[in-house]
């Protein structure tokens, strides 16, 4: 994408998203889709919109050779993961299946449609330009997704926009030739799952964009994450003692 740190997955005017929900203690989903964090929530005490910034800070902090979006491996899925939320990489075209092993107790965050822009981009003069840049291109798309086959409703209501934040571009990152720290903003739709129970869970995602204004945004993507949630050490030890 040249000098523009702009990443478009898809826009959701017509959208169907599906997700399976598993009851967990001390977990409260939103009123529409239990088990999914809504845009007005504050997962782990941090406003939802700020997690968009954290996802982008994670993604652009990984050198291209290690980034899980390209030449995917299970090991790459663990790149730069830290804290209570496990970030999953997007996919920009074609069909792909990915397996990712996740520790128990981790929430899962993945972008469905997202844009991010930083003030190193030529033509960005003020914060209004940054917001416009982050939002443009996120249109004329359709998305569909399932987690273990159970649907989630009203994804169009899950749009969020971050506050302005600082983002550091490492050398040889996936998006930008410029290295340094810049002012940025992110916008879009994400699937933000509360911690899943141990076991295997399939997250299927399909997105397509057909933009009549700017065809450079057009693409089709179809990808699956086979999520392997490992049981916690305490749970495993307890099971071993009882057997």
């Amino acid at each position: 994408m040249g000098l523009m740190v702009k990443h478009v997955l898809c826009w959701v005017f017509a959208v169907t998203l599906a997700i399976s929900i598993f009851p967990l203690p001390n977990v409260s989903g939103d009123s529409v889709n239990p088990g999914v964090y809504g845009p007005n929530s504050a997962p782990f005490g941090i406003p939802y919109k700020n997690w968009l910034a954290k996802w982008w800070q994670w993604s652009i902090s990984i050198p291209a050779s290690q980034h899980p979006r390209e030449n995917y491996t299970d090991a790459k899925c663990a790149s730069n993961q830290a804290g209570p939320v496990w970030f999953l990489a997007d996919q920009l075209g074609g069909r792909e299946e990915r397996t990712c092993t996740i520790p128990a107790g981790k929430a899962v965050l993945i972008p469905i449609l997202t844009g991010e822009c930083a003030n190193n981009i030529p033509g960005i003069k003020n914060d209004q330009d940054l917001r416009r840049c982050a939002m443009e291109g996120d249109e004329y798309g359709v998305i569909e997704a399932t987690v273990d086959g159970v649907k989630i409703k009203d994804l169009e209501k899950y749009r969020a926009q971050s506050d302005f934040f600082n983002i550091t571009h490492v050398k040889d990152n996936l998006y930008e030739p410029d290295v340094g720290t810049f002012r940025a903003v992110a916008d879009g739709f994400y699937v933000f799952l509360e911690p899943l129970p141990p076991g295997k869970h399939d997250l299927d995602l399909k997105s397509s964009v057909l933009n009549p204004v700017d065809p450079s945004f057009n693409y089709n993507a179809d990808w699956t994450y086979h999520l392997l949630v490992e049981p916690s050490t305490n749970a495993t030890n307890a099971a071993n003692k009882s057997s």
Side-chain angles (χ1 to χ4, degrees), residues 6 115-117 130-136 138 185-187:
K6 178 66 183 172
E116 180 269 354
C117 283
L130 271 179
R131 290 190 185 279
R132 172 191 50 77
C133 176
M135 296 172 68
E136 69 181 0
D138 296 351
V185 68
D187 179 270

Side-chain angles (χ1 to χ4, degrees), residues 10-23:
C10 67
W11 174 238
V12 192
F13 285 126
V15 60
T16 304
L17 178 76
I19 186 169
S20 68
I21 307 304
F22 295 85

Side-chain angles (χ1 to χ4, degrees), residues 120-195:
N120 63 312
I121 298 170
I124 299 294
K125 299 178 181 179
N126 51 45
D127 287 348
Q128 183 177 356
D129 289 343
L130 271 179
R131 290 190 185 279
R132 172 191 50 77
C133 176
M135 296 172 68
E136 69 181 0
D138 296 351
E139 304 195 17
Y140 306 106
V142 178
I143 184 170
E144 181 179 342
T146 67
V147 178
D148 298 337
V150 181
K151 293 184 177 180
I152 191 173
K153 303 174 183 178
D154 300 334
L155 186 63
E156 69 277 4
K157 297 179 181 179
Y158 282 64
R159 188 173 190 172
Q161 188 172 100
S162 73
D163 294 330
F164 293 101
F165 61 95
N166 290 331
I167 192 164
T168 298
H169 301 167
V170 299
K171 183 179 180 181
D172 299 325
N173 70 79
L174 193 62
Y175 307 93
E176 271 280 348
D178 291 348
V179 175
T181 299
F182 306 97
R183 182 173 173 84
V185 68
D187 179 270
F189 291 78
Y190 289 63
V191 173
F192 202 161
L193 305 180
E194 295 177 352

